Amino acid sequence: MPVQIRQATAFMAMYSVPTAPAQALIDHTGLEILRYRPGRGLCVLVFVDYVDGDLGPYNEFGVCFMVRNHRDTGKASVVSDLRSLATGGAGALIHQLPVDGEFTMAAGRGIWGFPKVLADFDADHASPAKRASVSQDGKLIAELRIKPGITVPGSGAGAAVEAYSHLDGVTRHTQWEMNPSGVRSRLGGADLTLGTHPIADELRSLGLPRRALLTSSIPDLKMTFGDARAV
């Protein structure tokens, strides 16, 4: 430790979701959905192609929710939640995490408690318009396409996020450091198709597919994962 990811590419879409059904999905973790406005939280769908790292090459699909930091004992409000988002104090709960590598699945579950499961991927991270789909047992989970965005000034600066996971009755938190380069973003710009898999049904329960708030692509992403600790 820490585990190093020396080269990866990623693209994502961020969605506004109703707080109540989102909270129902994560209640078992003991964490709370962060509200960026009354009654609304944030769900991020992300595809990552890990090219060079300590866990080897693999593809990954994440369903993540922005949550309040477990150390925040103050009274929750939209204002305090927005402040946490702006200052980097919020956390990201990794709710679903299909991957296509057996070693990274075993390592992710054993080291950090990430809910990794094996799945099948068809991904294009190289074209200007990114596209990927993920399926399990012949059932489509999701297919996501995003249109090209504009270059984000200042990308390349490092950022740290408190990553949360829940597995086998234990909620854990891990320091997750990222160094992205060449980030491109835009408002909207996503085309999401959901299949017949139970994860797709979860996303439908949040009102997806719908227009994305924001889409981003990262052609060069370096990451570091620290030790996991129980909340």
Side-chain angles (χ1 to χ4, degrees):
M1 302 299 287
V3 168
Q4 302 284 342
I5 307 300
R6 291 171 286 277
Q7 183 183 0
T9 65
F11 65 92
M12 52 76 71
M14 178 181 288
Y15 294 91
S16 172
V17 295
T19 305
Q23 186 63 50
L25 290 178
I26 73 160
D27 257 345
H28 61 283
T29 68
L31 300 171
E32 294 182 304
I33 293 288
L34 180 146
R35 293 173 297 161
Y36 78 100
R37 65 183 180 88
R40 307 297 295 188
L42 295 169
C43 176
V44 179
L45 306 183
V46 57
F47 280 94
V48 186
D49 179 12
Y50 290 84
V51 179
D52 178 25
D54 292 345
L55 303 183
Y58 63 97
N59 284 280
E60 180 176 271
F61 171 68
V63 178
C64 311
F65 293 101
M66 298 307 297
V67 294
R68 297 187 180 110
N69 193 298
H70 71 284
R71 301 183 186 89
D72 188 356
T73 58
K75 184 177 180 180
S77 69
V78 172
V79 172
S80 63
D81 284 352
L82 285 172
R83 186 181 302 115
S84 294
L85 276 175
T87 60
L93 169 65
I94 315 301
H95 175 63
Q96 302 282 5
L97 202 60
V99 297
D100 66 356
E102 292 191 7
F103 177 72
T104 188
M105 180 186 71
R109 295 175 70 91
I111 298 172
W112 299 286
F114 287 140
K116 293 189 176 186
V117 296
L118 282 177
D120 299 308
F121 287 76
D122 179 12
D124 177 7
H125 285 260
S127 300
K130 315 301 180 186
R131 182 204 62 80
S133 65
V134 55
S135 304
Q136 188 184 52
D137 299 327
K139 294 183 177 181
L140 177 67
I141 297 173
E143 180 177 17
L144 180 64
R145 300 171 183 264
I146 73 164
K147 299 174 183 177
I150 61 173
T151 301
V152 177
S155 65
V161 177
E162 196 83 47
Y164 292 94
S165 61
H166 183 88
L167 191 68
D168 298 331
V170 180
T171 298
R172 300 172 175 87
H173 63 105
T174 302
Q175 187 76 359
W176 174 20
E177 297 181 0
M178 294 175 283
N179 190 348
S181 297
V183 179
R184 301 179 72 93
S185 295
R186 59 171 289 163
L187 299 177
D191 181 10
L192 173 66
T193 301
L194 299 177
T196 58
H197 192 275
I199 295 176
D201 292 336
E202 278 194 349
L203 296 175
R204 283 194 193 89
S205 75
L206 302 175
L208 301 184
R210 59 174 293 152
R211 186 177 187 274
L213 293 174
L214 177 77
T215 53
S216 295
S217 61
I218 308 172
D220 183 11
L221 177 61
K222 297 176 176 61
M223 294 182 279
T224 301
F225 294 90
D227 287 312
R229 295 178 173 82
V231 169

